[in-house]
Amino acid sequence: MRSVNGFTLVELLIVFRGRGDFRSCAERGQNLMESLGAGEYEKATRDLNPILTATLTKDMLAKAWPRAIAECGRFKKYTVTYTGAVSDRDDNQFVCLTCEFEKGRKWMVLVFDKTRRVRILALCDTPNEYQSVINQVRQQDRGGAQPR
């Protein structure tokens, strides 16, 4: 995997800390994707939690997203593919978006916790990769640790 500013092009990690229904989380995911697609990086970082904001700034997104576009082709559209609970023990939720680019598809995973702040976003090459991200978050949850 190639990386840009420490973030891989196939797996950028961002997580939302959020509580609420899945439609609300899906809407937040859609807003994030629309902001990235429009090049509105400050808007895309509004819901990031403080830890993530320190490691994934709007300036980093402004460098990483265009490089991802250079690799994947022009961003065309997205659809909400899947929503669900990370576990039955808490209010953490995730949303998976299928993102269409000129050169193919990528899958974006957004994980939300009870405060609806972004903690993890992963841009994956395959559905197996996004399922792996979800499984890792679930394993960390079972162990009581928060994903980084």
Side-chain angles (χ1 to χ4, degrees):
M1 287 187 210
R2 292 185 297 186
S3 70
V4 176
N5 294 333
F7 300 97
T8 65
L9 295 178
V10 294
E11 207 173 301
L12 287 170
L13 294 180
I14 302 174
V15 178
F16 281 97
R17 289 187 169 245
R19 180 184 179 117
D21 61 49
F22 294 130
R23 189 172 77 182
S24 172
C25 291
E27 288 169 3
R28 283 178 176 255
Q30 291 170 7
N31 291 339
L32 177 78
M33 194 67 236
E34 288 170 4
S35 297
L36 287 173
E40 297 172 344
Y41 306 112
E42 184 170 351
K43 186 176 177 182
T45 61
R46 282 185 191 161
D47 288 324
L48 302 183
N49 79 348
I51 295 169
L52 189 57
T53 301
T55 59
L56 183 62
T57 65
K58 66 179 178 177
D59 294 334
M60 289 177 173
L61 271 180
K63 291 177 184 175
W65 186 253
R67 289 181 183 164
I69 296 298
E71 179 182 302
C72 304
R74 184 180 56 82
F75 172 69
K76 295 164 75 175
K77 67 177 184 171
Y78 65 87
T79 55
V80 175
T81 306
Y82 190 72
T83 61
V86 173
S87 78
D88 57 2
R89 291 182 1 172
D90 56 31
D91 294 326
N92 293 341
Q93 300 170 22
F94 66 88
V95 174
C96 296
L97 303 171
T98 300
C99 303
E100 299 284 338
F101 294 89
E102 273 181 333
K103 298 178 184 176
R105 290 183 179 157
K106 299 270 186 191
W107 288 264
M108 183 177 284
V109 179
L110 305 165
V111 181
F112 300 78
D113 74 12
K114 61 186 172 186
T115 66
R116 289 190 187 168
R117 299 295 304 260
V118 181
R119 295 247 357 223
I120 296 174
L121 171 147
L123 186 61
C124 304
D125 285 329
T126 67
N128 286 342
E129 284 184 52
Y130 85 66
Q131 190 60 51
S132 176
V133 171
I134 294 165
N135 289 339
Q136 287 174 359
V137 172
R138 284 180 172 152
Q139 281 182 326
Q140 290 172 341
D141 180 62
R142 280 193 290 270
Q146 289 294 317
R148 294 180 184 229

